[in-house]
């Protein structure tokens, strides 16, 4: 009489703030006592309170039997509470679930729609394979129930049963299909059927192609946007299987795109057109270009809507799919796409970056790369503790009116204008810059001088990985800095016309690492590995070989990985050979002294590396040091030149050592070339080279490589020289500083906005030197106008002061002037693009590069796609993909009656096909007979009827028709006669 209701429980819980735990425990004790009573109303009330407390995390599985008792109540209100408790507490492993089977079957056969709905909505939460098998026979008749709500819930429940027990589809699918074909079905039921069909369709789309006409009718006639979205997704999976659907679907989809105000439906239509392959269709009647133009225009409008980042994101996703087939159309939307790169949302920036890579061309490459470079240079770096930074959502601080909301959103954009970019985003930007520039073997790069300067700037702007990131990454992973260095190496190898510029750029980076202590580059930077290779391989074009050698010898002392150190060691003797191997220089005492000191300095730097724990480093250091010792002995033993007698340099210096690094030029090799090399039959990769190798290397762990002590000799030879090129900003660059607005402008920002001052000054000096003799080149204001011919004449005659009165006045006689024949004005012809030869990657079979085999790279993607898609109901439904609606069941038991029926229908269909084929052949034979084809047989039979008028002639006419039919059905004339005789005997008694 004084028990608490659910409202009393909620009210009491709110009144006991700070002491909720004790109050809940007391309430649970009361519920335990109440639910064990005999009063069903009290049980239902206690169960309702337990359901409420269960949502706070308190277990109520102990009351499963009492839930079953309330479910069996004849009163609907109590029964509804019991089924609610079952949904909340029952699990597939609940023991009392076996006892609930008969109760569920009983309620499914009830006459009351409200009672039938209770087990139907409960079954999806508690279903098991055995329970599905038991209730299936009682659930199927509900598909024909008079109440549409029951039919709708039954269809959805059957799909849930099919996820657990696939054999449900055997008897259920024909009934679901019948409901789908019923044009008078209730819209809610039809929406449920479409939902189930779409969920099954993406698993086995070939089974649902026969339903395409009915589904098309629903797409055209239905005004339900939700149903249209589902149908469009289904047709996107059916169109690749039946290409003729594209032509049929295009008119309604384009009509929806033009007319619908719903952005969700608009996007799904565009996405369905893309996934259905309509845009890349080769059929001219489809009009893929017009459709692509319409889609691109609508997507542009979605991006330009302010304040909705979700629309921008999905529009960029669609653009990324359209750019594959229509890159020129997407490239026309460069302005709105580039604006998305500066969005406050990092996810929108990443999608825009992916899109920019696909729409880049030779015309917009420099502007796009400049925009990204300015973003890298102007953005602030995130601290280490904020490496996982995510921008907080924009909260509009305005009233409900639209103007205030737009003002608040714009204020939020200004707030994130100077956003802190995480290092992951910077790495993504750098990777995409390299991908855009190097794509299609540098087809879009027109100015390699500019590209080399961009690479130098990227080396300086690349984020330095922390020690934790370096340890976490795999040793085979290429860092961002190393990717930039590899790209500079590729330019030096492939573009021979700019090999000198690329090598000197690598030289400047290497020297700045040693000289400039403010730079973030160090000896362990990944970019120095390929850069050192370039400096050593093309040492003949170095501007300062001594400076490059000094930098290499200095960075070899630091603790660097073995893979990088061996590249440093390989570059040292190449530079030494370049400095000492010139045969044109006389062998004087000064040169002898310089070379001797050079060898001593290099040997002193290489000798400590001979005790390095890595065998590869030991081998290279010992080989090169011993070789240089021999060269030093040869140099010291060679007499110098005197006035009367000229001596040549030792051949070991001028010929022997340089010949070690000259010969066939090294070219880039295609990635697939190694796969084309056959493996020798005698090669056993599993056989160890030396069985005692581990024992021999075990003592290397105890060795320690001590740092060499500093002495005067080392300070003398390793001290930075003042003659080396310095990286100091010229004073001229500080005269005209651009404003902040110009720096951030997309159209007005030049190279100065994203390149360092030293790079800009060098490019300006090179440009002035290149164009100093060009009469059409307009120089800067400080140079232009001071050396014109008129200025020189006046200055030579009048001195520095200009006398206006001394300028002679000439009288013009207009009447005596003669007209000179005017020559036709030549139209200004734009300078053609410089043709630059770029070497292709070599492969084993031919000199051209073969398409890169990405089968290994695609393996992780295939593994990801092979993963099963988990349902929201946490049910493994992967087995439904292999379940055919027309095949036999899993036990291998075949329905013979059904199989015989199918065979009879197939035989009947074959007879009809054969009959139609014969009729077509008869018609074709008549046409050929009229044209005189095969006239020998036909003419004789046409000539016989006029000879007589008796009944025999009538029979002959009928024979003629049958012969024609038989001639059409067979290929040999002898068989015709035999068949005609047989037919003649059968037809004679009829007449």
């Amino acid at each position: 009489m004084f028990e608490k209701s659910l409202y009393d429980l909620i009210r009491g819980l709110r009144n006991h703030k700070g002491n909720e735990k004790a109050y809940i425990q007391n309430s649970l004790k009361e519920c335990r006592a109440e639910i064990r009573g005999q009063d069903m109303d009290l049980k239902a009330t206690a169960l309702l309170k337990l359901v409420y407390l269960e949502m706070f995390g308190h277990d109520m599985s102990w009351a499963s039997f009492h839930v079953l008792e309330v479910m069996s109540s004849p009163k609907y209100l109590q029964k509804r509470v019991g089924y609610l408790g079952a949904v909340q507490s029952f699990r597939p492993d609940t023991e009392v679930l076996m006892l609930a089977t008969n109760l569920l079957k009983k309620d499914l056969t009830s006459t009351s729609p409200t009672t039938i709905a209770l087990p139907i909505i409960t079954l999806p939460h508690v279903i098991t394979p055995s329970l599905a098998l038991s209730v299936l026979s009682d659930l199927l008749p509900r598909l024909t129930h008079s109440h549409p709500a029951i039919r709708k819930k039954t269809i959805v429940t059957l799909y849930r049963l099919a996820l657990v027990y696939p054999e449900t589809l055997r008897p259920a699918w024909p009934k679901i299909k019948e409901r789908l074909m019923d044009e008078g079905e209730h819209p809610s039921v039809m929406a449920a059927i479409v939902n189930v069909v779409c969920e099954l369709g993406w698993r086995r789309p070939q089974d649902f192609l026969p339903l395409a006409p009915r589904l098309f009718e629903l797409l055209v006639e239905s005004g339900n946007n939700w149903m249209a979205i589902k149908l469009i997704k289904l047709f996107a999976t059916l169109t690749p299987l039946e290409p003729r659907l594209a032509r049929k679907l295009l008119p309604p989809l384009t009509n929806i795109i033009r007319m619908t105000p719903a952005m969700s439906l608009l996007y799904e239509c565009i996405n369905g057109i893309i996934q259905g392959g309509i845009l890349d269709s080769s059929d001219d009647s489809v009009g893929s270009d017009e459709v692509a133009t319409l889609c691109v225009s609508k997507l542009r409008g979605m991006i330009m809507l302010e304040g909705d980042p979700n629309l921008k994101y999905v529009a960029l996703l669609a653009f990324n799919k359209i750019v594959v087939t229509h890159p020129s159309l997407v490239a026309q939307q460069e302005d709105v796409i580039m604006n998305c790169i500066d969005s406050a949302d990092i996810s929108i920036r990443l999608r825009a970056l992916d899109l920019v890579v696909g729409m880049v061309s030779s015309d917009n490459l420099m502007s796009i790369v400049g925009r990204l470079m300015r973003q890298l240079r102007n953005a602030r770096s995130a601290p280490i503790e904020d490496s996982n930074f995510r921008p907080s959502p924009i909260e509009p601080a305005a009233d409900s009116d639209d103007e205030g909301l737009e003002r608040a959103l714009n204020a939020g954009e200004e707030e994130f204008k100077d956003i802190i970019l995480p290092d992951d985003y910077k790495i993504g930007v750098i990777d995409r810059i390299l991908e855009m520039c190097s794509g299609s073997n540098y087809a879009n790069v027109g100015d390699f001088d500019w590209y080399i300067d961009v690479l130098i700037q990227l080396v300086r702007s690349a984020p330095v990985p922390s020690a934790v990131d370096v340890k976490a990454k795999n040793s085979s992973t290429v860092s961002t800095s190393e990717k930039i260095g590899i790209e500079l190496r590729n330019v030096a190898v492939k573009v021979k016309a700019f090999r000198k510029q690329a090598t000197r750029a690598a030289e400047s980076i290497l020297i700045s690492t040693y000289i400039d202590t403010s730079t973030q580059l160090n000896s362990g930077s990944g970019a120095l590995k390929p850069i050192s290779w370039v400096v050593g391989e093309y040492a003949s074009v170095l501007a300062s070989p001594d400076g490059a050698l000094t930098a290499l010898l200095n960075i070899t002392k630091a603790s660097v990985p073995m893979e990088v150190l061996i590249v440093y060691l390989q570059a040292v003797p190449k530079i030494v050979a370049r400095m000492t191997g010139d045969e044109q220089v006389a062998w004087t005492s000064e040169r002898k002294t310089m070379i001797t000191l050079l060898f001593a300095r290099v040997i002193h730097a290489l000798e400590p590396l001979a005790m390095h724990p890595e065998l590869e480093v030991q081998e290279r250091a010992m080989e090169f040091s011993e070789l240089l010792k021999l060269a030093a002995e040869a140099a010291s033993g060679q007499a110098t030149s005197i006035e009367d007698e000229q001596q040549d340099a030792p051949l070991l210096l001028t010929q022997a050592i340089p010949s070690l690094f000259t010969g066939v030029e090294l070219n880039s090799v295609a990635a697939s070339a190694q796969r084309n090399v056959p493996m020798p039959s005698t090669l056993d990769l599993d056989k160890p080279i030396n069985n005692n190798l581990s024992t021999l290397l075990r003592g290397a762990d105890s060795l320690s490589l001590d740092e060499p002590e500093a002495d005067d000799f080392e300070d003398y030879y390793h001290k930075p020289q003042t003659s080396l090129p310095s990286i100091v900003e010229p004073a001229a660059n500080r005269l005209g500083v651009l404003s902040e607005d110009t720096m951030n402008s997309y159209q007005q920002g030049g190279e100065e906005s994203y390149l360092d001052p030293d790079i800009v000054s060098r490019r300006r000096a090179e440009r002035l030197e290149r164009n100093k003799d060009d009469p059409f080149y307009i120089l800067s204001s400080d140079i232009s106008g001071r050396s014109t011919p008129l200025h020189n004449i006046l200055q030579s005659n009048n001195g520095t002061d200009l006398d206006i009165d001394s300028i002679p006045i000439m009288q013009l006689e207009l009447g005596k002037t003669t007209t000179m024949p005017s020559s036709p004005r030549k139209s200004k012809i734009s300078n053609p693009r410089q043709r630059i030869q770029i070497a292709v990657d070599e492969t084993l079979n031919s000199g051209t590069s073969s398409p890169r085999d990405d089968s290994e790279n695609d393996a992780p993607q295939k593994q990801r796609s092979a993963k099963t898609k988990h349902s929201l109901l946490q049910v493994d439904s992967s087995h439904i993909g292999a379940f055919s609606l027309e095949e036999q069941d899993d036990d291998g038991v075949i329905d013979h009656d059904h199989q015989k029926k199918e065979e009879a229908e197939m035989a009947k269909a074959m007879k009809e096909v054969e009959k139609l084929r014969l009729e077509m052949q008869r018609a074709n034979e008549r046409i050929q007979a009229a044209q005189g084809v095969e006239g020998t047989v036909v003419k004789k039979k046409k000539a016989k009827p006029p000879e007589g008028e008796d009944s025999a002639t009538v029979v002959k006419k009928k024979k003629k028709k049958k012969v024609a039919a038989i001639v059409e059905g067979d290929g040999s004339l002898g068989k015709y006669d035999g068949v005609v005789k047989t037919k003649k005997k059968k037809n004679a008694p009829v007449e």
Side-chain angles (χ1 to χ4, degrees):
M1 180 178 181
F2 299 100
E3 66 275 359
K4 296 179 183 178
S5 63
L6 177 61
Y7 299 102
D8 296 333
L9 176 63
I10 297 173
R11 191 179 298 109
L13 188 60
R14 292 176 178 176
N15 293 332
H16 289 76
K17 291 184 178 180
N19 195 23
E20 294 91 347
K21 187 175 181 180
Y23 180 79
I24 290 176
Q25 293 298 327
N26 293 331
S27 300
L28 286 174
K29 292 180 180 179
E30 294 176 0
C31 291
R32 286 178 181 270
E34 293 172 356
I35 204 170
R36 292 173 181 172
Q38 299 297 325
D39 189 356
M40 192 58 67
D41 291 333
L42 191 61
K43 279 179 174 290
T45 303
L47 180 59
L48 196 59
K49 292 188 289 184
L50 285 177
V51 170
Y52 179 77
L53 294 176
E54 194 269 343
M55 291 188 291
F56 285 91
H58 298 278
D59 184 34
M60 60 170 294
S61 60
W62 54 270
S64 57
F65 185 79
H66 302 291
V67 172
L68 188 60
E69 289 180 341
V70 180
M71 290 171 59
S72 61
S73 174
K75 296 182 180 180
Y76 173 74
L77 295 179
Q78 297 174 359
K79 184 183 290 291
R80 185 178 62 177
V81 174
Y83 275 101
L84 177 60
V87 170
Q88 288 292 109
S89 61
F90 281 12
R91 299 294 179 267
D93 56 348
T94 303
E95 296 179 355
V96 301
L97 189 58
M98 187 182 302
L99 303 176
T101 304
N102 291 331
L103 178 61
L104 294 172
K105 293 171 67 67
K106 177 184 175 182
D107 290 339
L108 283 173
T109 57
S110 176
T111 57
S112 174
T114 55
T115 304
I116 297 175
L118 293 178
I120 292 178
I121 62 178
T122 304
L123 280 173
H125 301 273
V126 300
I127 196 64
T128 60
S130 60
L131 182 59
L133 181 62
S134 301
V135 302
L136 181 59
S137 59
D138 299 296
L139 193 61
L140 289 176
R142 306 286 81 79
L143 287 174
T144 57
H145 197 276
S146 60
H147 204 285
I150 300 300
R151 299 197 300 270
K152 177 184 67 175
K153 295 177 181 179
T154 303
I155 290 171
V156 178
T157 302
L158 285 173
Y159 170 71
R160 184 64 173 83
L161 264 65
L163 296 180
V164 179
Y165 182 62
E167 289 299 322
T168 302
L169 294 176
R170 294 252 181 242
W173 175 244
K175 297 182 179 295
I176 297 177
K177 185 178 178 181
E178 181 182 355
R179 295 287 93 196
L180 177 64
M181 296 300 178
D182 188 3
E183 296 182 357
E185 186 58 85
H186 195 271
S188 62
V189 181
M190 191 62 66
I193 296 174
V194 170
N195 187 17
V196 173
V197 169
C198 293
E199 290 297 325
L200 295 175
W202 68 267
R203 294 182 174 91
R204 289 185 60 86
Q206 62 272 15
D207 292 342
F208 296 88
L209 277 176
L211 301 178
R214 176 57 180 163
L215 297 176
F216 180 78
E217 293 178 4
L218 294 175
L219 177 62
V220 175
E221 299 174 358
S222 176
N224 190 348
N225 290 345
W226 179 89
M227 185 186 298
I229 291 174
K230 287 288 185 180
L231 291 173
I232 291 170
K233 289 183 177 181
L234 179 59
F235 276 119
T237 60
L238 296 180
T239 305
L241 301 178
E242 182 53 67
R244 291 177 296 180
L245 281 175
R247 192 182 302 107
K248 189 74 174 177
L249 288 171
L250 198 55
L253 291 182
T254 54
N255 185 40
I256 293 175
I257 291 175
R258 291 190 179 98
M259 303 300 296
T260 182
M263 288 297 176
S264 59
L265 181 58
L266 173 63
Y267 172 74
E268 290 298 339
C269 286
I270 297 175
N271 191 35
I273 289 175
I274 297 171
Q275 292 184 355
I278 298 178
L279 295 183
D280 55 354
S281 176
S282 59
D283 192 356
D284 297 336
S285 61
V286 176
S288 58
D289 294 337
E290 292 79 3
V291 178
T293 304
L294 177 62
C295 295
V296 168
S297 62
K298 293 295 183 179
L299 292 174
R300 177 185 175 90
M302 294 174 64
I303 293 179
M304 295 181 67
L305 288 178
E306 297 183 0
D308 196 344
N310 296 325
L311 290 180
K312 289 184 179 180
Y313 185 84
V314 297
L316 290 174
L317 287 180
F319 268 136
N320 275 288
K321 299 175 183 177
I322 297 178
V323 75
V324 179
T325 56
H326 296 79
S328 59
L329 291 178
V330 180
Q332 296 174 4
Q333 319 302 323
E334 180 180 352
D335 52 346
V336 295
I337 295 173
M338 295 304 294
N339 289 334
C340 293
I341 293 183
D342 294 331
S343 175
D345 194 341
I346 297 296
S347 60
I348 294 179
R349 290 194 180 199
L350 292 176
R351 299 289 77 78
L353 284 177
D354 295 336
L355 184 57
V356 163
V357 174
M359 72 178 195
V360 71
S361 63
S362 58
D363 298 329
N364 58 10
L365 174 66
M366 296 182 68
S367 62
I368 292 175
V369 172
R371 179 71 172 265
L372 297 177
M373 294 287 292
R374 281 191 293 273
Q375 188 179 103
L376 288 176
R377 187 179 183 185
N378 298 334
R380 295 182 292 117
S381 300
I384 299 177
E385 58 271 10
D386 295 338
S387 58
N388 296 326
F389 171 77
R390 294 293 182 271
S392 58
I394 302 175
E395 298 180 358
D399 297 333
S400 59
D401 59 318
D402 297 336
E403 183 180 359
L405 180 59
E406 182 179 359
R407 185 166 56 251
L409 292 172
N410 294 334
E413 292 289 342
E414 294 294 332
E415 180 183 355
F416 286 98
K417 187 175 182 180
D418 194 16
I419 188 174
I420 298 178
L421 297 179
D423 289 344
D424 293 340
Y425 175 76
K426 292 183 178 180
I427 292 173
V429 171
I430 294 175
D431 291 342
R432 285 164 177 83
I433 290 176
L434 299 179
E435 183 181 354
M436 287 187 293
C437 295
S438 62
S440 302
N441 203 18
Y442 305 101
N444 297 324
V445 179
D447 186 359
F448 277 92
D449 283 328
W450 166 83
Y451 184 43
I452 293 172
D453 293 333
V454 167
L455 293 177
I456 297 175
Q457 184 65 38
L458 288 178
V459 170
R460 301 175 182 178
S461 304
V464 179
S466 59
V468 178
D469 296 336
V470 173
K471 293 181 180 178
K473 288 184 178 180
N474 189 5
S475 59
S476 60
T477 304
V478 180
S479 62
T480 304
S481 180
E482 186 174 356
K483 290 179 182 178
I484 304 171
I486 291 174
E487 190 61 29
L488 185 60
R489 183 185 63 188
N490 292 339
V491 174
V493 173
K494 290 185 176 183
V495 191
K496 297 181 180 179
F498 291 87
R499 179 171 294 172
K500 179 179 179 181
Q501 293 87 328
T503 304
R504 294 193 173 181
E507 178 188 10
S508 64
I509 296 174
L510 184 64
I511 295 176
S512 64
T513 305
Y514 167 56
I515 294 178
D516 191 2
T517 58
S518 61
T519 181
Q520 59 183 0
L521 292 175
N522 50 42
S523 59
S525 179
L528 295 183
K529 178 180 177 182
I531 283 175
S532 301
W533 185 90
V534 172
V535 171
E537 185 67 23
Y538 306 113
S540 58
V541 296
L542 291 176
S544 176
D546 188 61
L549 180 62
T550 303
L552 277 176
L553 294 178
N554 182 71
I555 62 179
T556 53
K557 300 178 181 180
S559 177
V560 295
M562 182 266 296
E563 296 82 3
V564 182
L565 187 56
I566 59 178
V567 178
Y568 295 165
L569 292 178
Q570 191 70 26
V572 168
K574 295 180 181 180
I575 300 177
V576 172
R578 156 70 174 83
M579 298 174 63
T580 61
D582 192 356
E583 297 179 347
Q584 304 299 327
V585 180
W587 183 251
T588 60
S589 58
E590 292 82 3
R591 185 186 179 192
K592 178 179 179 180
T593 304
M594 183 193 69
I595 291 178
T596 303
L597 293 176
L598 176 64
F599 285 152
R601 181 174 56 160
V602 176
I603 293 172
H604 180 75
L606 294 180
E607 282 181 345
L609 297 176
M611 302 299 294
H612 198 274
E614 296 291 342
L615 287 179
E616 187 74 17
V617 178
Q618 290 184 23
E619 180 182 3
R620 293 174 185 262
M622 293 185 67
E623 287 179 354
F624 295 147
S625 61
E626 293 298 327
L627 179 62
L628 295 180
K629 288 178 181 178
L630 293 177
E633 293 178 1
S636 61
Q638 181 72 12
T640 59
S641 300
I642 56 178
E643 296 180 358
D644 298 337
E645 183 179 0
Q646 296 291 333
Q647 295 290 338
D648 296 331
L651 296 178
L652 185 62
L653 301 181
T654 59
Q655 296 183 8
I657 295 180
S659 64
L660 297 177
F661 309 109
T662 57
V664 181
E665 185 177 358
L666 296 178
N667 296 324
S668 60
V669 181
S672 59
Q674 185 63 36
R675 301 187 185 96
N676 299 330
V677 179
M679 181 177 293
S681 58
T682 58
L683 179 62
D684 186 7
L685 297 178
D686 297 331
K687 183 179 179 181
I689 299 176
N690 192 335
N691 296 326
N692 297 328
L693 186 60
S694 59
T695 305
L696 297 176
L697 298 178
R698 192 172 301 168
D701 298 336
S702 60
L703 297 177
S704 60
L705 184 62
D706 299 332
E707 293 291 336
E709 297 180 356
D711 52 6
D712 297 337
F713 181 84
E714 182 179 359
D715 294 339
Y716 177 79
Y717 285 105
H718 295 283
K719 183 179 180 181
Q721 300 180 7
T722 57
S723 61
L724 297 178
S726 59
I727 313 297
V728 181
E729 181 182 0
N733 293 336
R734 296 193 293 269
L735 296 178
V737 182
L738 296 176
S739 62
E740 185 178 357
D741 297 335
T742 306
M743 294 286 287
N744 296 331
S745 176
Y746 170 48
Q747 286 81 8
Q748 299 177 0
E751 297 176 353
E752 296 83 358
S753 60
Y754 60 86
L755 295 179
D756 286 345
D758 60 323
I759 301 177
V760 175
S761 61
R762 177 174 55 81
R763 288 180 60 83
R764 183 182 295 112
E766 293 176 355
R767 186 164 56 250
L768 292 176
E769 180 67 22
R770 184 169 59 252
N771 299 316
K772 64 180 181 180
D773 297 330
D774 189 356
F776 299 102
Y777 182 74
I778 301 176
L779 300 177
S780 58
S781 59
D782 56 346
I783 301 176
S784 176
R786 295 188 179 182
S787 60
T788 58
L790 179 61
H791 184 273
N792 293 335
I793 294 174
L794 294 175
Q795 188 174 9
S796 62
N797 295 332
N798 302 327
T800 58
D801 297 333
L802 180 61
D803 187 6
I804 302 298
D805 297 332
S806 63
I807 300 176
I809 301 175
M810 297 180 64
Q811 183 178 2
L812 297 178
E813 297 179 359
L814 299 178
K816 299 180 180 181
T817 57
T818 59
T819 59
M820 299 295 294
S822 60
S823 60
R825 185 177 181 180
K826 297 182 180 180
S827 60
K828 185 178 180 180
I829 303 176
S830 59
N831 294 329
R833 181 177 175 182
Q834 183 182 3
R835 296 181 61 88
I836 301 173
Q837 184 178 2
I838 303 175
V840 295
D841 297 335
E842 294 183 350
T843 185
L844 186 64
N845 296 329
S846 61
T848 59
S849 61
S850 59
R852 183 171 181 176
D853 187 5
D854 295 335
S855 57
E856 297 178 1
N857 299 334
D858 293 340
Q861 183 177 1
K862 293 180 180 178
Q863 294 177 1
R864 291 192 297 267
S865 61
K867 293 182 179 179
T868 59
K869 184 177 180 180
H870 294 287
S871 172
L872 294 177
L873 301 175
Q874 300 298 324
V875 177
D876 184 11
S877 60
S878 59
H879 51 274
I880 297 185
F883 183 83
S884 175
L885 299 177
E886 304 295 336
E887 293 179 356
Q888 62 184 16
D889 52 12
D890 296 340
D891 298 334
V893 180
I894 303 175
D895 189 358
H896 295 283
D897 296 336
H898 182 67
Q899 184 177 1
K900 290 180 180 180
K901 183 179 179 180
E902 289 182 349
E903 292 177 355
E905 292 178 354
M906 181 62 68
K908 184 179 179 180
M910 291 298 296
K911 290 181 181 179
E912 293 178 356
V913 172
E914 184 67 19
K915 181 179 178 181
L916 293 175
R917 186 180 65 83
L918 291 175
E919 290 177 357
M920 293 174 62
Q921 289 179 348
R922 293 190 189 101
N924 189 21
E925 182 66 21
R926 293 189 189 98
I927 295 173
Q928 292 178 356
Q931 295 176 354
V933 182
E934 297 181 0
T936 305
V937 179
V938 179
K939 282 182 180 179
K940 288 182 179 180
K941 296 188 178 182
K942 282 187 177 180
K944 288 180 181 180
E947 296 179 359
E949 299 294 336
D950 53 350
S951 61
T953 57
V954 180
V955 177
K956 288 182 180 179
K957 289 182 180 179
K958 293 184 178 181
K959 290 178 184 177
K960 181 184 69 173
K961 294 180 180 180
K962 293 182 180 180
V963 169
I966 298 168
V967 169
E968 294 167 358
D970 203 309
S972 62
L973 185 59
K975 292 183 179 180
Y976 298 161
D977 299 336
V979 176
V980 170
K981 292 179 181 179
T982 306
K983 296 287 184 177
K984 182 178 178 181
K985 291 179 182 179
K986 291 183 179 180
N987 293 335
V990 176
E991 296 180 351

